[in-house]
Amino acid sequence: MSIWVRISDFVSAKATTALTGVVEAVRTVFAGDPATRRRVAFSIAMIALSAKMAKADGVVTESEVDAFREIFDIPADDARRVSNLYNLAKQDVAGYRVYAEQVAGLCGTGAPDCPLLIDVLDGLFHIAKADGVVHPNELEFLTDVATIFGISGVEFERVTARHVDRGQRDPWRILGLDRDATYADARRRYLQLVRENHPDQMMSRGLPEEFVKIANDRIAAINDAWELVEPELKAVAGEAGSRSA
């Protein structure tokens, strides 16, 4: 059974006209099934917050809607279900902060930089940039959501660097490396990121398989950043070796 059938049935059972009520209900209804709880929580978070964010720049563009469909990899049989959920979120009078606060409470650990909430933020960036630019209002929206999620400034900058081109993307920031890092330390960091962000690992912490594009794009960004950083690190290491010889 697809995640969309589970969520659609869940919403129908609640007979609600506000997705905020659904977000809150996830906490108790799926308490005995943490795996499904995480998948449902992530999916609803993406529906609710992306619908709100799509209006942040004042216009809901077709490319943003297409990006939503692309990230969610919606099977044809489930398209109507997802469309209904998306429209429900758009029509809800509750502000996005209400959704974000509820979603933050679903992380489970309550610790800063919750991986599941970072996954949600990553997905929102995918949608925000779909029309070719992250509008200042969208970036303000994402910054506020990250604050509500308890995502640190350093981690937010890393996520932003994967999506926003500020003249030249900073591969060091994407990898979370200081420019004086040694080659050995940098490589350990790179391999750690690859392990933590492998699609299988992201699925295990609650990212539904329908969202695999987010996982694949994140790994691609990490690998691209390493390809830029590694030659520079090797060159510095070679110069240091020559001086010590």
Side-chain angles (χ1 to χ4, degrees):
M1 181 184 296
S2 79
I3 192 67
W4 308 117
V5 174
R6 295 295 301 271
I7 296 175
S8 183
D9 290 347
F10 179 52
V11 172
S12 296
K14 291 298 169 185
T16 182
T17 58
L19 206 57
T20 44
V22 177
V23 176
E24 185 62 27
V26 169
R27 185 194 307 277
T28 54
V29 173
F30 294 101
D33 186 356
T36 298
R37 177 175 176 265
R38 288 193 300 270
R39 294 180 70 216
V40 171
F42 179 90
S43 303
I44 291 177
M46 285 299 304
I47 291 171
L49 291 173
S50 64
K52 295 295 184 183
M53 187 190 64
K55 299 168 67 175
D57 59 0
V59 180
V60 180
T61 67
E62 187 63 29
S63 57
E64 285 170 332
V65 176
D66 288 343
F68 175 86
R69 293 169 179 161
E70 178 184 359
I71 292 171
F72 281 80
D73 190 20
I74 304 168
D77 292 344
D78 292 332
R80 181 178 295 275
R81 296 175 186 270
V82 177
S83 178
N84 290 339
L85 292 168
Y86 195 71
N87 288 332
L88 185 63
K90 286 195 299 183
Q91 295 165 8
D92 194 347
V93 296
Y96 73 87
R97 292 182 62 88
V98 174
Y99 285 111
E101 288 166 0
Q102 289 182 321
V103 171
L106 293 173
C107 183
T109 64
D113 293 338
C114 169
L116 184 61
L117 298 180
I118 292 173
D119 292 340
V120 173
L121 187 66
D122 218 9
L124 292 174
F125 263 104
H126 274 274
I127 295 171
K129 70 179 183 182
D131 55 0
V133 62
V134 177
H135 191 277
N137 288 350
E138 291 173 322
L139 188 57
E140 181 179 350
F141 173 97
L142 292 164
T143 302
D144 195 26
V145 168
T147 300
I148 295 171
F149 281 179
I151 295 175
S152 66
V154 172
E155 189 62 38
F156 180 74
E157 283 298 316
R158 284 185 56 215
V159 176
T160 304
R162 288 200 292 266
H163 299 283
V164 179
D165 190 347
R166 295 172 174 170
Q168 181 178 0
R169 290 187 182 180
D170 186 349
W172 297 83
R173 185 176 299 167
I174 292 174
L175 297 172
L177 291 173
D178 294 328
R179 289 186 175 272
D180 59 356
T182 66
Y183 177 82
D185 288 343
R187 180 168 174 76
R188 277 193 293 270
R189 172 63 176 166
Y190 162 67
L191 293 176
Q192 176 190 3
L193 288 174
V194 169
R195 288 192 300 270
E196 292 176 351
N197 294 287
H198 188 277
D200 290 344
Q201 182 65 24
M202 293 176 71
M203 302 300 126
S204 72
R205 66 173 177 253
L207 187 74
E209 61 185 16
E210 291 88 351
F211 297 79
V212 69
K213 177 175 174 54
I214 294 174
N216 289 336
D217 284 359
R218 186 182 297 181
I219 281 291
I222 291 169
N223 286 334
D224 288 346
W226 179 247
E227 287 183 3
L228 293 173
V229 166
E230 185 181 25
E232 185 174 340
L233 288 166
K234 284 184 173 180
V236 171
E239 291 175 3
S242 297
R243 287 195 297 269
S244 62

